[in-house]
Amino acid sequence: MRTRPLKVALLGCGVVGSEVARIMTTHADDLTQRIGAPVELAGVAVRRPSKVREGIDPELVTTDATALLKRGDIDIAIEVIGGIEPARTLITTAFEHGISVVSANKALLAQDGAALHAAAEQHGLDLYYEAAVAGAIPLVRPMRESLAGDKINRVMGIVNGTTNFILDKMDSTGAGYQEALDEATALGYAEADPTADVEGYDAAAKAAILAGIAFHTRVRLDDVYREGMTEVSAADFASAKRMGCTIKLLAILERAADGESVTARVHPAMIPLTHPLASVREAYNAVFVEAEAAGQLMFYGPGAGGAPTASAVLGDLVAVARNKLAEATGPGESAYTQLPVSPMGDVVTRYHISLDVADKPGVLAQVATTFAEHGVSIDTVRQQGKDGEASLVVVTHRAPDAALSGTVEALRKLDTVRGVASIMRVEGE
Ligand code: NDP
Ligand code: HSE
């Protein structure tokens, strides 16, 4: 057992960082045994130095994160500041000074993961980021390491806890979007500005990271098709229920049938109540992975929160510390397949379309013809009429998304179609 400690710089001490510091302190002896050397919290970089931080020696606190990294004795940096800058520059500085990095920063990894991995590799160092996707759930390491001998073909998951909480409330109580969002905010799930969550940016960043790992290719944030969930209505849930479905904000990553390309998307979708993801309640996350040899795997657990996220960070800290002692590094970026990311139009899926139409002879035929003209086959049609108007709900068979959206565009132009009340993809069947 080495007695000289590995020194750790904690960059950020907010929701996640404060829990990382607490666990490092309270579990110091166990961590020492598991790593084979003590890990010492050698400095804590924050923005507001005067804030009282329970359990943190004020002597360790600094506002100069760069100086902390450059002082010459740091072995590992834990970046839990978030956002692009100064996190990116600090991680780069760490690598330039021989420091391995653990980060929880999905936004940065989705945007600049390739460059950061290259910098880590250039300096013979580690970049670990289990906490960046789905909080406490072990997912990045199982996909990068445990499934490294298999071939992942599909990943479908709920990777944002805030939106799952909102959709779950809408489903279980019949609440509208705003009411459910207000409850999520009051309970501390949604941030004051919930845009990143409800518009799907947070999930898209996680999708980009997971797609890169799953398919051994580079998937940038811009490659991920993204739709938020702010338009999902109580009426959509009523329709979903009639179909034996619920609605989830899903991240879906797929290898094309010919294996020559991949797709990555985030959008709300109906899934059957019998699908394992349908039973993921509250702010939990779950990711369903389909691999060639392993078959179907489900990863489930808390996707956010200080302590759960710190658990993933600490797991990475132990792995990186062990690597340091062994003078080795863990797996770096694997992007050898260089598979292109196809546009959303190429995705093959099903649509649930709710139309307000005139209730008169020939309307159904006109609508059906429009679907046929776009090569989209109808699975079911349900019509309910009232006072010369009717609501028409069409569920299609699988077709390319471009054909489905072309159909909707054409339907909007029909005189007999008063409006397209909702469009929702149907997944997981
Ligand atoms: P917080 O906003 O709670 O904490 C951010 C910390 O960074 C604060 O301690 C802040 O200092 C510090 N900080 C901000 N700017 C600087 C700077 N320029 N120099 C030094 N320190 C700075 O964020 P979270 O803990 O919630 O999130 C951290 C990371 O973890 C993010 O990347 C996030 O995406 C990720 N994550 C978070 C989860 C969660 O549930 N919260 C779940 C999964 C991942 P001060 O305390 O003085 O304000
Ligand atoms: N805002 C994110 C969520 C935090 O709700 O899942 C975890 O990344």
Side-chain angles (χ1 to χ4, degrees):
M1 172 86 67
R2 180 176 120 156
T3 50
R4 188 164 56 82
L6 286 158
K7 296 207 174 183
V8 176
L10 183 61
L11 312 179
C13 191
V15 173
V16 178
S18 59
E19 284 298 313
V20 170
R22 182 185 64 76
I23 298 171
M24 276 186 74
T25 310
T26 53
H27 294 353
D29 291 343
D30 285 327
L31 291 172
T32 301
Q33 292 299 325
R34 291 170 197 175
I35 292 166
V39 275
E40 177 188 314
L41 193 56
V44 180
V46 297
R47 193 175 32 188
R48 296 166 296 164
S50 51
K51 187 178 167 202
V52 177
R53 296 173 203 270
E54 203 184 320
I56 306 260
D57 178 356
E59 294 280 303
L60 295 179
V61 175
T62 175
T63 54
D64 195 343
T66 308
L68 174 60
L69 296 171
K70 286 185 174 177
R71 73 185 204 190
D73 63 339
I74 302 297
D75 297 291
I76 300 168
I78 297 175
E79 185 276 306
V80 277
I81 292 174
I84 306 302
E85 287 294 353
R88 174 171 49 195
T89 303
L90 290 172
I91 291 176
T92 308
T93 303
F95 291 144
E96 286 164 358
H97 290 78
I99 300 168
S100 283
V101 173
V102 173
S103 174
N105 195 332
K106 62 238 162 184
L108 179 57
L109 281 152
Q111 185 178 303
D112 286 324
L116 294 174
H117 277 293
E121 197 175 332
Q122 183 196 339
H123 294 281
L125 296 161
D126 276 329
L127 171 60
Y128 274 48
Y129 48 94
E130 182 64 68
V133 185
I137 306 175
L139 181 63
V140 170
R141 201 102 54 86
M143 282 176 62
R144 276 208 317 174
E145 299 184 35
S146 315
L147 291 168
D150 207 334
K151 184 178 181 188
I152 296 175
N153 287 322
R154 195 160 193 267
V155 178
M156 180 159 92
I158 295 165
V159 292
N160 184 271
T162 305
T163 48
N164 199 55
F165 180 88
I166 294 170
L167 291 170
D168 184 35
K169 282 294 144 200
M170 291 175 74
D171 190 18
S172 57
T173 67
Y177 164 72
Q178 190 58 47
E179 195 186 331
L181 171 63
D182 290 346
E183 187 176 347
T185 309
L187 289 170
Y189 291 116
E191 296 187 25
D193 177 1
T195 310
D197 291 322
V198 299
E199 294 297 351
Y201 292 102
D202 176 84
K206 293 164 180 170
I209 295 169
L210 287 182
I213 297 169
F215 306 128
H216 299 269
T217 192
R218 218 163 256 167
V219 178
R220 294 171 304 116
L221 187 53
D222 291 347
D223 294 326
V224 181
Y225 174 84
R226 178 195 54 77
E227 267 177 39
M229 44 70 72
T230 55
E231 303 292 319
V232 178
S233 66
D236 291 327
F237 273 101
S239 289
K241 278 203 171 89
R242 274 195 290 271
M243 282 181 60
C245 289
T246 186
I247 298 169
K248 297 290 185 188
L249 183 73
L250 297 178
I252 304 174
L253 322 168
E254 287 169 313
R255 191 189 291 276
D258 65 4
E260 297 296 318
S261 62
V262 299
T263 52
R265 53 192 165 118
V266 167
H267 54 72
M270 292 185 184
I271 52 167
L273 292 170
T274 49
H275 193 282
L277 290 178
S279 55
V280 177
R281 308 290 308 273
E282 304 269 321
Y284 279 83
N285 283 191
V287 178
F288 199 70
V289 176
E290 294 176 36
E292 200 170 85
Q296 298 181 330
L297 306 166
M298 174 102 154
F299 299 83
Y300 172 83
T309 308
S311 163
V313 171
L314 265 293
D316 279 354
L317 175 65
V318 169
V320 170
R322 286 174 178 156
N323 291 344
K324 276 266 172 195
L325 292 182
E327 296 181 0
T329 53
E333 186 189 29
S334 172
Y336 71 94
T337 63
Q338 297 182 18
L339 290 171
V341 184
S342 299
M344 184 63 191
D346 289 0
V347 165
V348 177
T349 183
R350 299 175 67 200
Y351 269 21
H352 171 285
I353 305 163
S354 194
L355 303 169
D356 295 325
V357 297
D359 193 2
K360 60 182 191 186
V363 173
L364 196 54
Q366 210 178 19
V367 167
T369 303
T370 307
F371 277 88
E373 281 170 355
H374 289 81
V376 177
S377 170
I378 293 173
D379 182 17
T380 61
V381 181
R382 185 169 45 81
Q383 181 178 332
Q384 200 170 5
K386 195 179 165 217
D387 303 333
E389 298 283 307
S391 143
L392 201 60
V393 175
V394 180
V395 181
T396 72
H397 284 296
R398 282 162 61 79
D401 201 82
L404 291 161
S405 58
T407 308
V408 173
E409 214 172 293
L411 288 170
R412 286 187 202 278
K413 290 182 186 148
L414 295 179
D415 288 346
T416 47
V417 173
R418 310 270 191 250
V420 179
S422 92
I423 308 159
M424 184 93 50
R425 295 180 184 88
V426 184
E427 301 288 342
E429 291 178 311

